[in-house]
Amino acid sequence: MASLKQIRYFLTVADLGGFTPAAASLFVAQPALSRQIALLEAELGFPLFLREARGVRLTAAGALYRDRVLGIEQMLAAAAEEGGQLASGEAGVLRLLHSSSIPAVSLMPAIKQFLAASPKARIDLDRIASETQVSEVASGKADIGIVRLPVLRRDPAVRLLEMPAEQLWLALPASHPLAGRASLGLAELAGEAFVSAVHRERGGLARRVTELCLQRGFVPKMARVISRKTSMLDLVAAGLGIAVVPERMTLLGSAGLAYRPLHDADAVAHSAVILPVQATPLAERFARILAADSPPG
Amino acid sequence: MASLKQIRYFLTVADLGGFTPAAASLFVAQPALSRQIALLEAELGFPLFLREARGVRLTAAGALYRDRVLGIEQMLAAAAEEGGQLASGEAGVLRLLHSSSIPAVSLMPAIKQFLAASPKARIDLDRIASETQVSEVASGKADIGIVRLPVLRRDPAVRLLEMPAEQLWLALPASHPLAGRASLGLAELAGEAFVSAVHRERGGLARRVTELCLQRGFVPKMARVISRKTSMLDLVAAGLGIAVVPERMTLLGSAGLAYRPLHDADAVAHSAVILPVQATPLAERFARILAADSPPG
DNA sequence: GCTAGCCATGCTTTTTTAGAATGCCACATG
DNA sequence: CATGTGGCATTCTAAAAAAGCATGGCTAGC
């Protein structure tokens, strides 16, 4: 197979119209050039140049060959450049997962900051359940996940970076009697029906809320409608129950929906970033932004 | 610069998922492969593979690099293939020139025969004056020319191959008194006005006709309208004069135009193929077809 | 006919690449 | 838990490829 060196020699000779000037331009001796061109011609099976008294001229086949191999070096250089950018984290796609209790709108400040620092990077955002995030990140199908603590399923291939704690709020129908209050305590919710995004493995926000209720001596009463696909908040707005949500979620407004802060000192929720042990530079950078992020509000 | 060998090694390792099977597939020892990949990675500045217990996996940057360099070898192979076809005369464009007294329609049998023998070849046909053809072919701007003899301007860079002689015919207006005759002799045209394609250097058909008339003791009388751009035959059809033309041109019919054979034994015209000293294989092949061509009729 | 410019060739030296043996590490197995 | 196995890296040596130097041959121009 013709070597790249032979191609480069060939192109230089073709450009300069002679072996002698090409040799000078390439900083090699002229015989070396002659030999490499001769080898290339022998391998191709046809002459590339017409040797004339005053230098050389391309044959028709040589001119065609020149057109075809022009740009191969540029292709290689571009491949190296793109690969380097991806490896260094200068460019690339960050496949980002987030739980439904971490709405995309609440991530936008971090995303904007990230994109400003990495103009060549792109983000691919998906909302999926926390438990799934762990396996997706562990398997390399995603670069980074953002989950609500506690995370029940662990994997040695991923590590967790805790994010700043968030105040918990009560989401309730605007028509609810408690909506008249400016703020509430968790203990007052003992009799209320709780809407909750329930998954098979009860981690995340639902588990955290249950924990807090139990500490106040009651088991949260479950609402009579449970949906996995529609948002908890839609059910609350429809008057089917109340929900305790982290502050991020109050960014999601809806008609008939009201939010009130919980004034309990321990009414906070925690979230974390899931990263592979060997994260991409883009994922590392985004994780650092998230961990440093001050909680909304 | 990354060598093609390194690219091929890299692609094989990426395909087979390990150095050991790739080395077997490439018929090299495994350390050679390890070293070349290591060199490539060092030059690129980022790792291409993740070394794992069971073989290797591409890094993200490695996968991107793979996508970019895939096809470089195919490009080179295609370049060699196309160049070879051009050099061997299997493919390429034949830039063919012809005088106006060798109408394109009369070349069609030869062209068809040529294209049938070279399915990948193409023909680029241009009608230009004989004198110009010599310089075009000599300078390499055309591959082959077809001119009417005699050719006044010669060039050491071109050679001439004579084609079979052609009978001369008289082209005359259908309404002309002589049109009633089945055939004519040149001597009978002494008083007629001759339409002629006159160039500065009077070679080709015009010179040949003049010669023949002089041998019969008269100087052909010139018609009162001369045009370089419109065809002689249009002037004849318009009744402005007569013309002596080779048999090929009788293929060009026109309303009001009649052809009659000249029965003089020496009333023949000669044409020739112009070739560069070093003609392309396609030009050589086409020239052989033309030289062997039996004259039309 | 001589000279200058330019490419090709033969020989030697340097550089690059490959091969063989071996080491190291991780995973699997009994 | 020790041991074996599979797979990549490393070291040293040998071969192959490429480069440099000197020189030869050809052509164009004076």
Side-chain angles (χ1 to χ4, degrees):
Chain A
M1 175 66 69
S3 73
L4 281 177
K5 177 159 52 178
Q6 287 171 341
I7 302 294
R8 184 165 49 244
Y9 283 8
F10 163 64
L11 291 175
T12 307
V13 173
D15 271 356
L16 301 184
F19 285 71
T20 307
S25 159
L26 289 163
F27 300 103
V28 294
Q30 169 264 317
L33 206 49
S34 286
R35 261 192 305 263
Q36 289 306 320
I37 298 294
L39 285 174
L40 179 57
E41 289 177 321
E43 183 189 312
L44 291 174
F46 57 89
L48 294 166
F49 294 106
L50 296 168
R51 275 72 168 175
E52 297 179 336
R54 289 266 164 274
V56 296
R57 271 182 23 229
L58 282 170
T59 60
L64 180 64
Y65 190 74
R66 177 175 178 273
D67 290 344
R68 295 291 181 274
V69 301
L70 260 178
I72 282 191
E73 285 193 302
Q74 282 80 350
M75 278 182 62
L76 265 180
E81 171 73 13
E82 287 187 57
Q85 288 184 351
L86 187 60
S88 70
E90 186 181 339
V93 174
L94 182 72
R95 295 161 300 175
L96 173 62
L97 308 177
H98 64 103
S99 302
S100 53
S101 69
I102 318 228
V105 62
S106 76
L107 295 173
M108 288 308 152
I111 286 177
K112 282 179 184 166
Q113 184 183 340
F114 172 80
L115 290 179
S118 305
K120 292 183 182 171
R122 300 282 175 273
I123 288 188
D124 178 0
L125 200 63
D126 253 330
R127 191 185 73 186
I128 68 172
S130 302
E131 295 81 23
T132 320
Q133 287 188 39
V134 175
S135 54
E136 292 280 301
V137 171
S139 70
K141 289 203 270 286
D143 300 306
I144 192 169
I146 310 175
V147 297
R148 187 64 61 183
L149 294 179
V151 175
L152 299 183
R153 189 185 299 175
R154 291 298 178 93
D155 192 299
V158 306
R159 60 203 155 97
L160 259 65
L161 260 73
E162 197 157 336
M163 292 166 58
E166 275 172 79
Q167 179 64 36
L168 284 175
W169 288 55
L170 181 66
L172 71 174
S175 58
H176 194 282
L178 289 175
R181 305 270 299 284
S183 81
L184 296 146
L186 257 179
E188 305 177 60
L189 307 179
E192 300 292 333
F194 278 71
V195 163
S196 179
V198 180
H199 304 105
R200 263 179 322 208
E201 307 167 84
R202 299 198 62 223
L205 182 61
R207 186 183 189 97
R208 174 70 181 144
V209 172
T210 304
E211 277 173 7
L212 288 168
C213 292
L214 290 177
Q215 284 167 17
R216 274 151 193 81
F218 70 95
V219 177
K221 192 177 84 184
M222 285 296 135
R224 298 173 61 195
V225 174
I226 288 176
S227 169
R228 264 179 253 290
K229 290 298 173 194
T230 62
S231 159
M232 283 168 37
L233 297 176
D234 289 339
L235 301 182
V236 172
L240 294 172
I242 64 168
V244 171
V245 299
E247 185 161 11
R248 294 179 176 280
M249 291 190 71
T250 66
L251 294 170
L252 300 172
S254 177
L257 192 60
Y259 294 104
R260 296 291 178 271
L262 293 174
H263 51 236
D264 308 65
D266 60 347
V268 294
H270 301 273
S271 41
V273 179
I274 302 180
L275 286 174
V277 178
Q278 276 279 45
T280 68
L282 286 182
E284 290 285 359
R285 177 143 3 116
F286 195 73
R288 272 198 297 278
I289 292 176
L290 285 176
D293 221 9
S294 54
Chain B
M1 174 67 68
S3 73
L4 281 179
K5 177 161 48 180
Q6 288 172 341
I7 301 293
R8 183 166 50 244
Y9 283 8
F10 163 64
L11 290 174
T12 307
V13 173
D15 272 356
L16 301 183
F19 285 70
T20 307
S25 160
L26 289 163
F27 300 104
V28 295
Q30 169 263 318
L33 206 49
S34 287
R35 258 192 311 263
Q36 290 305 321
I37 299 294
L39 286 174
L40 179 57
E41 290 176 321
E43 182 189 313
L44 290 174
F46 57 89
L48 294 165
F49 294 106
L50 296 167
R51 273 75 168 175
E52 297 179 336
R54 289 267 165 271
V56 297
R57 272 183 21 231
L58 282 170
T59 61
L64 179 64
Y65 190 72
R66 177 175 178 274
D67 291 345
R68 295 292 180 274
V69 302
L70 261 178
I72 283 192
E73 285 193 303
Q74 283 78 350
M75 278 183 61
L76 265 180
E81 171 74 11
E82 288 187 57
Q85 287 184 351
L86 188 59
S88 71
E90 187 180 339
V93 173
L94 182 72
R95 295 162 300 175
L96 173 62
L97 307 177
H98 65 104
S99 303
S100 52
S101 68
I102 318 228
V105 63
S106 75
L107 296 173
M108 288 308 152
I111 286 178
K112 282 179 185 166
Q113 184 183 342
F114 172 81
L115 290 179
S118 304
K120 292 185 181 169
R122 300 283 175 273
I123 288 188
D124 179 359
L125 200 63
D126 253 329
R127 191 186 71 186
I128 68 172
S130 302
E131 295 81 25
T132 320
Q133 287 189 37
V134 174
S135 54
E136 292 281 299
V137 171
S139 69
K141 289 204 270 286
D143 300 305
I144 193 170
I146 309 174
V147 297
R148 186 64 61 182
L149 294 178
V151 175
L152 299 183
R153 192 186 296 177
R154 292 297 179 91
D155 192 298
V158 305
R159 60 202 155 97
L160 259 64
L161 259 71
E162 197 157 334
M163 291 167 59
E166 275 173 78
Q167 178 66 35
L168 285 175
W169 288 55
L170 181 65
L172 72 174
S175 59
H176 194 284
L178 290 174
R181 304 269 300 280
S183 81
L184 294 146
L186 257 179
E188 303 176 60
L189 308 178
E192 299 292 331
F194 278 71
V195 164
S196 178
V198 179
H199 304 103
R200 262 179 322 207
E201 306 168 84
R202 299 199 61 222
L205 181 62
R207 187 185 189 93
R208 174 70 180 146
V209 172
T210 304
E211 275 173 8
L212 289 168
C213 292
L214 289 177
Q215 284 168 16
R216 273 150 193 81
F218 70 96
V219 177
K221 192 176 83 182
M222 286 296 135
R224 298 174 60 194
V225 174
I226 287 176
S227 169
R228 264 178 254 290
K229 290 296 174 195
T230 62
S231 158
M232 280 169 37
L233 296 177
D234 289 339
L235 300 182
V236 173
L240 294 172
I242 64 168
V244 171
V245 299
E247 185 160 12
R248 293 180 176 277
M249 291 189 73
T250 65
L251 295 171
L252 299 171
S254 177
L257 192 58
Y259 294 103
R260 296 292 178 270
L262 292 175
H263 51 236
D264 306 66
D266 57 348
V268 294
H270 302 273
S271 41
V273 180
I274 303 179
L275 286 175
V277 177
Q278 277 280 43
T280 67
L282 287 181
E284 290 285 359
R285 178 146 359 118
F286 194 73
R288 271 197 298 278
I289 292 176
L290 285 176
D293 220 9
S294 55

